[in-house]
């Protein structure tokens, strides 16, 4: 990752910015304009930056999480079954993986702000049109359209904060993490109440988020008038030697990211059906999913600090996998005893996600290796994560057994524990690929 212009040392002569070779500077020109990024950061303004980050982050997840509590009604309306549920649940993982690879090339053509505006125009249209779909295939296609914006936003919004945040960067990243979790939780919590009691109320519930998605389009269009075409900086020429596939830490982080993601999206998409089959009302099931997602707010706030200070980190990270297994076993063996307790256990197990994100820079020395590691772990992890919901849906459709699905998910917690333990060991990816 290249150093942002705002971090250029004051001693750097203004006549020869780091990005311009000295030979390119006219000898009779006393100075050159300041780099563009700091000026744009100032032009965005604190209030607009906070508003832009807040409204986009809160809209990155409801398009996916609002489906789960209504899944039974949706697939039933199209005459589909559990396999269709699994496919809808896996769709965010597939979209985040595939479009995540395209985020940087697209932003180099449209700019960071322009990418968000264009993609969320598609999101708003998809969310408004999806409830009127006449077939499951059309509903699936519009759902994919809905996920383009979040998939690009996962990559582009942090880069936008880096480029325009200036001294506000840390605060904006914290705001981004917290509102991202709030949006995901709200999508699940409000899905059933927004549907009301009508048989096709799920259509009104889903359409509500289309109206909400218009807000970031307007706010970011205003930001676009301030930023212009804010293209991300070009990557440094050349590359560091060594394949990431030679690094056990990089592989463990990719597996950890994928397994945690498969759990998160299976929880969003299929766990509400599992809970209602155990006797919970749809509203209560949606609330339980919101609780699980809500714990992500806590994890995002505390885990970066914990990683830098905790001495027995591998065991702590492995514990998140163990808690994930315990939560699923609790829903299987004692579903009515304390669903809120099992939800909290699964929510704390979900700390594996912010941990995996924080481990990307913590287990690398070079910023370029960090960028390469993120480029492998996240897109490949999301593609790998899509296997879980599809497998869970196929298992439920074939066996009709909710306990079989919960046992399958409990086993993924063991995989998460093993991968998390290895990823958290004090090893550097730089050393492993150089060795």
């Amino acid at each position: 990752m290249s150093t942002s212009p705002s971090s250029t040392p004051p001693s750097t002569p203004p006549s020869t910015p780091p990005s311009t070779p000295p030979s390119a500077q006219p000898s009779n020109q006393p100075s050159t304009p300041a780099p563009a990024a700091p000026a744009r950061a100032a032009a965005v303004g604190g209030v607009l930056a906070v508003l832009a980050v807040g409204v986009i982050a809160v809209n990155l997840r409801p398009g996916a999480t609002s489906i789960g509590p209504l899944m039974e009604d949706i697939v039933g309306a199209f005459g589909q079954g559990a396999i269709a549920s699994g496919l809808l649940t896996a769709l965010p993982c597939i979209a985040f993986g595939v479009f995540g690879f395209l985020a940087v090339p697209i932003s180099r053509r449209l700019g960071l702000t322009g990418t968000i505006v264009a993609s969320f125009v598609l999101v708003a249209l998809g969310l408004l049109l999806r409830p009127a779909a006449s077939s499951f295939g059309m509903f699936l296609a519009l759902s994919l359209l809905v996920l383009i914006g979040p998939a690009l936003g996962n990559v582009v919004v942090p880069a936008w904060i880096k480029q325009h945040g200036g001294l506000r960067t840390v605060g904006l990243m914290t705001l981004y993490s917290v509102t991202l979790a709030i949006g995901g939780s709200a999508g699940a919590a409000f899905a059933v109440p927004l549907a009301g009691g009508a048989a096709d109320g799920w259509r009104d519930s889903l359409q509500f988020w289309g109206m909400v998605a218009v807000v970031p389009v307007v706010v970011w269009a205003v930001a676009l008038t301030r930023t212009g075409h804010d293209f991300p900086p070009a990557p440094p020429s050349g590359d560091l030697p060594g394949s990431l596939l030679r690094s056990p830490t990089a592989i463990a982080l990719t597996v950890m990211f994928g397994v945690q993601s498969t759990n998160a999206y299976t929880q969003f998409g299929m766990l509400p059906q599992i809970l209602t089959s155990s006797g919970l009302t749809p509203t209560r099931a949606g609330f339980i999913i919101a609780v699980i997602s809500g714990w992500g707010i806590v994890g995002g706030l505390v885990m970066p600090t914990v990683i830098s200070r905790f001495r027995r980190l591998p065991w702590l990270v492995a514990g998140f996998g163990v808690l994930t297994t315990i939560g699923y076993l609790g829903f299987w063996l004692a579903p009515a005893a304390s669903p809120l307790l099992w939800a909290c256990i699964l929510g704390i197990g979900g700390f594996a996600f912010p941990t995996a994100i924080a481990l990307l820079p913590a287990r690398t020395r070079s910023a370029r290796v960090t960028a390469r590691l993120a480029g492998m772990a996240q897109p490949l992890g999301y593609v790998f994560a899509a296997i879980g919901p599809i497998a869970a849906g196929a298992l439920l459709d074939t066996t009709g057994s909710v306990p079989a699905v919960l046992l399958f998910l409990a086993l993924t917690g063991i995989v998460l524990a093993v991968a998390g333990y290895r990823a958290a060991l004090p090893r550097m990816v730089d050393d492993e690929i150089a060795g």
Side-chain angles (χ1 to χ4, degrees):
M1 186 181 295
S2 58
T3 305
S4 64
S6 60
S7 61
T8 304
S11 59
T12 302
S15 60
T16 55
S19 60
T20 307
S23 59
Q25 298 295 327
S27 57
N28 60 346
Q29 185 167 334
S31 63
T32 57
R40 285 173 179 161
V44 171
V47 174
L48 181 57
V50 168
L51 185 60
V53 171
V55 297
I56 202 66
V58 84
N59 276 277
L60 288 178
R61 292 294 179 266
T65 62
S66 60
I67 290 283
L70 305 169
M71 185 72 76
E72 203 165 352
D73 292 338
I74 293 170
V75 298
F78 296 111
Q80 303 294 317
I83 293 180
S85 298
L87 184 57
L88 272 177
T89 303
L91 199 61
C93 301
I94 297 171
F96 291 172
V98 173
F99 290 113
F101 283 116
L102 300 176
V104 172
I106 291 174
S107 65
R108 291 199 186 286
R109 296 184 67 88
L110 301 181
L112 296 171
T113 309
T115 297
I116 293 296
V117 173
S119 65
F120 263 80
V121 168
L122 297 179
V123 169
L125 287 174
L127 286 169
L128 291 170
L129 295 175
R130 182 170 62 170
S134 58
S135 67
F136 182 72
M138 183 181 294
F139 186 89
L140 199 65
L142 288 170
S143 294
L144 184 61
L145 186 68
V146 163
L147 293 167
I148 290 176
L152 298 178
N154 287 339
V155 178
V156 172
V157 175
W160 189 92
I161 293 172
K162 172 80 172 176
Q163 186 151 322
H164 296 291
L167 297 177
R168 301 182 295 268
T169 296
V170 174
L172 289 174
M173 281 303 299
T174 302
L175 173 67
Y176 173 72
S177 299
V178 171
T179 51
L180 188 69
I182 290 173
S185 183
F190 296 143
V192 175
L194 287 171
D200 61 349
W202 61 268
R203 298 181 187 272
D204 294 331
S205 179
L206 295 184
Q207 203 164 52
F208 169 81
W209 296 106
M211 294 182 284
V212 174
V214 173
V215 177
V217 174
V218 174
V219 173
W220 280 73
V222 173
L224 183 60
T225 65
R226 307 286 186 89
T227 64
H229 294 294
D230 48 350
F231 302 110
S237 59
D239 207 347
L240 296 178
S243 168
L244 288 175
L245 296 178
R246 295 172 56 184
S247 166
T249 301
I251 293 172
L253 271 169
T254 302
V255 173
M256 178 185 176
F257 193 92
V259 175
Q260 197 286 324
S261 296
T262 202
N263 274 281
Y265 285 95
T266 302
Q267 289 164 9
F268 289 149
M270 298 195 69
L271 193 55
Q273 287 179 272
I274 292 172
L275 295 177
T276 53
S277 70
S278 301
L280 271 68
T281 65
T283 302
R284 176 73 167 166
F287 173 74
I288 291 297
I289 303 305
V291 169
I292 296 173
S293 180
W295 275 99
I297 301 172
V298 181
L301 289 172
V302 305
M303 286 314 299
T305 302
V306 170
I307 286 173
S308 65
R309 298 181 180 179
F310 198 74
R311 294 183 178 273
R312 299 182 181 273
L313 186 63
W315 291 106
L316 177 65
V317 179
F320 297 147
V322 173
L323 289 175
T324 298
T325 296
I326 292 172
Y328 288 127
L329 292 178
F331 277 124
W332 172 22
L333 300 174
S338 182
L340 188 58
L341 171 63
W342 308 133
C344 289
I345 290 174
L346 282 179
I348 298 173
F351 282 15
F353 175 73
T355 300
I357 295 296
L359 281 173
L360 295 175
R363 291 297 173 262
T364 52
R365 289 194 179 94
S366 164
R368 291 167 65 185
V369 174
T370 305
R372 287 180 59 194
L373 181 59
M376 181 180 90
Q378 295 192 55
L380 287 183
Y382 274 127
V383 172
F384 173 71
I387 298 171
I390 294 174
L395 185 62
L396 184 60
D397 194 61
T398 303
T399 66
S401 171
V402 167
V405 176
L406 288 172
L407 180 59
F408 165 73
L409 294 172
L411 292 174
T412 67
I414 297 175
V415 178
L416 179 60
V418 174
Y421 180 90
R422 178 57 187 82
L425 288 173
R427 309 283 190 270
M428 290 295 167
V429 173
D430 311 60
D431 300 335
E432 291 174 339
I433 63 176

